[in-house]
């Protein structure tokens, strides 16, 4: 992930369901990936955390729904 981000990969890109890499990392409770993605997000972290997917879910909601908390 770090290599892709350092080469200019856009962490704000989304799939067909409007899910960003942050949605996926948060849903898997991968704190290292979440931190890396937020540090490279061109918008504010608040905007990244509040980005809705096609189901109306945010990355933070995904993290809480799937794990109850985010942990490393």
């Amino acid at each position: 992930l770090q290599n892709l981000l350092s080469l200019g990969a856009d962490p704000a890109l989304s799939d067909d369901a409007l899910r960003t890499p942050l949605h996926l990392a948060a849903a898997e409770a991968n704190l290292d990936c979440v931190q890396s993605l937020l540090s490279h997000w061109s918008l504010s972290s608040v905007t990244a955390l509040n980005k809705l997917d096609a189901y109306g879910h945010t990355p933070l909601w995904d993290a809480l729904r799937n794990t109850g908390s985010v942990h490393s």
Side-chain angles (χ1 to χ4, degrees):
L1 177 61
Q2 288 296 342
N3 289 341
L4 289 171
L5 292 171
S6 67
L7 291 171
D10 185 356
L13 291 178
S14 58
D15 63 14
D16 292 344
L18 304 177
R19 293 175 60 82
T20 64
L22 185 58
H23 282 93
L24 301 175
E28 294 297 320
N30 189 323
L31 185 57
D32 291 335
C33 286
V34 167
Q35 290 173 330
S36 293
L37 291 163
L38 289 176
S39 71
H40 285 85
W41 199 278
S42 59
L43 302 173
S44 74
S45 294
V46 172
T47 300
L49 290 172
N50 288 318
K51 185 173 176 78
L52 294 176
D53 64 14
Y55 310 103
H57 302 152
T58 64
L60 182 57
W61 190 91
D62 285 339
L64 294 173
R65 178 186 63 143
N66 291 333
T67 64
S69 66
V70 176
H71 52 84
S72 57

